[in-house]
């Protein structure tokens, strides 16, 4: 499709891409601005117009990651243009959190007041626009599901412009926001669920790809999932998930919405095994489907009612069900249209339903994109009505009041508890509640713009006059006492690590440079230093503010204790110093991975580089050295 003739015809009108305005904030670039007539000249550019609330935008991110990996080192640059829908999404600090949560590795420009959106004439999320190395627009795509077309366009463009000798030598490499983050016990926890009979708390530790199980006092009991992203069934230690969200407990089985795998998983608590119970791993494209082994689309939350599992199918804007006896899945409510329409269940419309809770008659839904709370009357064939919120895709805010007079902002969690309906009003950083009269009241809220004590809460559970809140962007669980009106973080005692040190995910790609056969001897108990030096070629330099990413993997009987690192960058090299101490005896192995990039002074061409050192060592009282020197010179 994307032949030389196609590109020649496509560029005949000569429509030049509008330049990115100066002065906007950029993320994943070290703060550096990008422009078509400078850094992007000679490169194929894909612009992704997105907003981080949007489920369809989330579906595009794996496609962009695929393209980034495939064309790594080529003169191809993907840029996310964050054009916000909600007020909360306009704040750069919140966009940065979304970049971390969704593991975005490409530059993102904060499109203040939709300046770039308007200049390109965009009218929906997501929209992708391709720009050639000469700054001319090559074409665009609306909606999700365009990986094949984008791949073909990039491949064709590289061939076409390669023949014209108008391409730069490579892509661009920048420091990522990810490199500035420290590890935490939980990472963007999405939902919480309480098992009152066993007095335990289930936490979907979403970005650690696992479920953490604790006592109500925070004492760690066990973890479900290895922590590695994947879709593997097996024992709790072997199983893999991909950003799981909602859960439901029924007859000793914990059902898990494995959101980014588009699967439902069943964790049996008796024999500690995980089995896939619905979905194929492919993303559903049909709104009305019934059967076993059919695709799902971003299941976000679950509620078990008798022998039926209700599913908030966020990716389809619908509510689905699964028969717990036959495992048959079917559409239950919602036409698939993204809107807020009440009435008979299959004629009603939802907009990214993300939270579910059942009170004995009604199934309550946090309908996030219309900033409303909906409910289905299960005694009246699932008839749908709006309980609170504006019923408008662009009607949102923070306002208490009765019914549709109240305003919410992208709520992700809902809980029927103690004669109230509690709401995790996510983008208002608030907990709200609806009483029997239908009046919405704010009971907990943080209005600050930084260092929030409650930061985009995504889930909520209740027990013994306390609310357990997934304080998502603060990477913790908050406990709110309904009697004292006070809240405090849940202290996770002896929390299960996200993964063992030897199971850390590699950060280098398949074409990394390997330095092997290295051996050294250490003195026991003596402070030492692991010194990584990255020497640059002549007339090359690091980008200002660049931080190399590195990973240390150890497996030994004489464990190396790694302290905080100290980085110092100079014009011609980067040095990373990691203090350590060694055990008293035995042998050890260590693997060090580093990812960095450098730029040519003349044309600012940036080269990415992945390096691996593998070292075998022993402990010796007399012969040990205090420093392990690792050097890479391209």
């Amino acid at each position: 499709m994307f032949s030389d003739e196609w590109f020649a015809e496509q560029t005949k009108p000569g429509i030049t891409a509008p330049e990115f305005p100066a002065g906007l904030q950029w993320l994943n670039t070290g703060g550096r601005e990008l422009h078509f007539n400078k850094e992007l000249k000679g490169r194929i550019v894909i612009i992704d117009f997105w907003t981080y609330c949007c489920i369809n935008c989330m579906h595009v991110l794996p496609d962009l990651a695929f393209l980034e990996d495939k064309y790594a080192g080529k003169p191809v640059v993907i840029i996310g243009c964050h054009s916000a829908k909600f007020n909360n999404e306009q704040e750069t600090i919140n966009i940065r959190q979304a970049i971390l949560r969704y593991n975005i590795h490409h530059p993102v420009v904060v499109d203040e007041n939709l300046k770039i959106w308007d200049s390109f004439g965009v009218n929906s999320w997501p929209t992708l626009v391709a720009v050639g190395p000469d700054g001319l627009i090559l074409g665009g795509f609306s909606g999700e599901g365009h990986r094949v077309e984008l791949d073909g366009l990039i491949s064709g463009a590289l061939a076409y412009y390669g023949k014209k000798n108008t391409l730069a030598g490579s892509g661009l490499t920048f420091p990522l926001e990810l490199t500035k983050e420290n590890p935490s016990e939980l990472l963007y926890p999405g939902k919480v669920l309480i098992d009152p009979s066993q007095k335990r708390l289930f936490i979907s530790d979403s970005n650690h790809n696992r479920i953490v199980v604790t006592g109500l006092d925070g004492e760690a009991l066990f973890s479900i999932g290895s922590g590695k992203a994947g879709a593997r069934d097996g024992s709790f230690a072997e199983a893999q998930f991909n950003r799981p969200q909602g859960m439901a407990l029924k007859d000793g089985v914990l059902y898990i919405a494995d959101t980014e795998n588009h699967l439902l998983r069943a964790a049996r608590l008796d024999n500690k095994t995980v089995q896939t119970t619905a979905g194929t791993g492919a993303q559903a494209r049909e709104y009305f489907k019934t059967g076993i082994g059919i695709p799902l689309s971003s299941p976000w939350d679950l509620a078990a009612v008798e022998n039926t599992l209700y599913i908030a199918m966020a990716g389809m804007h619908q509510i689905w069900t699964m028969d717990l006896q036959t495992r048959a899945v079917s559409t239950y409510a919602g036409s698939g249209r993204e809107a807020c329409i009440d009435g008979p269940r299959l004629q009603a419309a939802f907009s990214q339903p993300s939270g579910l809770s059942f009170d004995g008659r009604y199934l309550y839904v946090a309908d996030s994109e219309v900033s409303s709370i909906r409910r289905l009357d299960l005694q009246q064939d699932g008839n749908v009505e709006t309980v609170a919120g504006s019923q408008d895709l662009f009607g949102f805010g923070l306002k208490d009041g009765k019914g549709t007079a109240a305003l919410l902002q992208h709520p992700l969690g809902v809980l029927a508890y103690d004669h109230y309906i509690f709401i995790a009003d996510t983008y208002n950083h608030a907990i709200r509640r609806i009483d029997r009269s239908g009046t919405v009241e704010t009971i907990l809220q943080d209005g600050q713009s930084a260092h929030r004590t409650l930061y985009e809460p995504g889930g909520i559970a209740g027990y013994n006059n306390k609310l357990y809140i997934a304080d998502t962007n603060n990477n913790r669980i908050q406990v709110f006492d309904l009697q004292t009106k006070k809240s405090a973080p849940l202290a996770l005692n002896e929390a299960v690590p996200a993964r063992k040190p030897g199971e850390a995910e590699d950060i280098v790609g398949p074409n990394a440079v390997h330095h092997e056969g290295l051996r050294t001897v250490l003195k026991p108990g003596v402070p030492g230093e692991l010194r990584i030096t990255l020497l640059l070629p002549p007339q090359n330099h690091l980008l200002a503010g660049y931080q190399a990413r590195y990973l240390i993997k150890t497996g030994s009987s004489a464990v190396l204790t790694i302290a905080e690192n100290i980085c110092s960058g100079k014009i011609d090299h980067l040095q990373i110093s990691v203090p350590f101490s060694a055990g008293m005896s035995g042998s050890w192995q260590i693997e060090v991975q580093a990812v960095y990039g450098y730029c040519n002074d003349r044309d600012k061409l940036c080269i990415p580089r992945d390096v691996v050192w593998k070292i075998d060592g022993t402990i010796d009282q007399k012969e040990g050295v205090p420093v392990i020197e690792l050097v890479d010179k391209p």
Side-chain angles (χ1 to χ4, degrees), residues 209-210 225-235 238-244 256-266 274-282 505:
N209 305 302
R210 62 177 182 166
S226 67
K228 186 175 182 179
R232 180 179 178 180
D233 288 343
S235 70
E238 298 169 332
Q240 297 172 356
F241 301 90
N242 194 353
R243 293 196 181 97
I256 302 164
D258 193 3
T259 305
E260 297 210 10
N261 275 329
H262 308 295
L263 298 174
L264 296 188
R265 318 291 291 281
V274 174
Q275 180 182 16
T276 298
T277 190
T280 64
E505 291 189 71

Side-chain angles (χ1 to χ4, degrees), residues 133-432:
D134 50 7
L136 298 180
I137 293 178
L138 300 177
F141 306 92
S142 294
E144 59 181 270
H146 297 292
R147 177 188 292 190
V148 173
E149 295 97 320
L150 286 166
D151 190 7
L153 189 150
I154 293 171
S155 177
L158 289 173
Y160 176 73
Y161 289 103
K163 295 172 187 175
K164 295 168 70 72
N165 294 319
T166 57
L167 291 175
S170 74
L172 297 171
T173 302
F174 298 103
L176 303 178
E177 300 299 324
L178 186 66
T179 63
K180 305 172 186 176
E181 293 302 294
N182 296 318
S184 59
E185 292 172 316
L186 301 176
L187 193 58
Y188 298 105
K191 300 289 184 183
V192 285
L193 176 72
I194 287 177
D195 176 6
S197 65
Q198 300 294 319
K199 293 183 175 57
R200 57 188 173 184
L201 178 68
F202 295 92
I203 304 166
S204 58
D205 190 9
S206 302
N207 274 45
H208 280 149
N209 305 302
R210 62 177 182 166
I211 306 298
V212 171
V213 187
T214 74
L216 297 181
D217 59 355
E219 179 184 0
L221 301 177
F222 56 91
S223 185
I224 305 173
S226 67
K228 186 175 182 179
R232 180 179 178 180
D233 288 343
S235 70
F236 282 5
E238 298 169 332
Q240 297 172 356
F241 301 90
N242 194 353
R243 293 196 181 97
Q245 287 286 338
M247 301 159 287
L249 186 62
K250 179 70 173 178
D251 298 331
V253 178
L254 182 72
Y255 294 93
I256 302 164
D258 193 3
T259 305
E260 297 210 10
N261 275 329
H262 308 295
L263 298 174
L264 296 188
R265 318 291 291 281
R268 291 190 55 180
L269 301 178
D270 54 358
N271 64 9
K272 290 184 167 46
T273 60
V274 174
Q275 180 182 16
T276 298
T277 190
T280 64
Q283 185 184 336
R285 301 294 182 187
E286 297 180 61
Y287 290 108
F288 297 96
K289 193 80 172 177
T290 299
I292 298 173
I294 63 175
L296 311 179
S297 180
S298 296
W300 207 278
D301 204 6
L302 306 173
V305 181
E306 297 179 349
N307 288 319
T308 300
L309 189 69
Y310 290 85
I311 309 162
M313 200 66 72
M316 306 300 288
H317 310 295
Q318 293 174 314
I319 306 299
W320 288 22
T321 60
M322 184 180 77
D323 187 306
L324 291 176
Q325 294 180 328
T326 67
R327 294 188 182 180
V329 173
S330 61
T331 306
Y332 181 74
S335 65
R337 178 183 173 187
E338 187 176 2
C340 185
I341 300 175
D342 291 343
R345 58 185 173 90
L346 289 176
Q347 298 174 29
F350 298 89
S351 187
Q352 205 169 307
S354 303
L356 297 177
S357 187
F358 181 63
D359 73 348
R361 175 176 178 175
Y362 296 103
L363 180 69
Y364 288 87
V365 181
D367 207 11
S368 62
E369 279 295 290
V370 287
S371 299
S372 298
I373 301 299
R374 323 284 297 283
R375 72 181 183 186
L376 289 71
D377 189 342
L378 299 190
Q379 291 183 9
Q380 298 293 328
D381 193 33
N383 192 68
V384 179
E385 61 180 327
T386 301
V387 179
S390 70
Q391 300 180 289
D392 187 332
L393 274 168
F394 290 88
F396 53 84
L398 177 62
K399 179 183 177 183
D400 289 347
K402 190 170 184 178
T404 56
L407 293 179
L408 314 172
Q409 188 177 187
H410 197 74
L412 292 178
V414 64
L415 170 69
Y417 175 70
D418 192 30
H419 308 296
Y420 290 97
I421 305 303
F422 293 91
I423 309 164
D425 193 3
T426 308
Y427 286 2
N428 279 324
H429 316 285
I431 302 299
R432 322 278 292 277

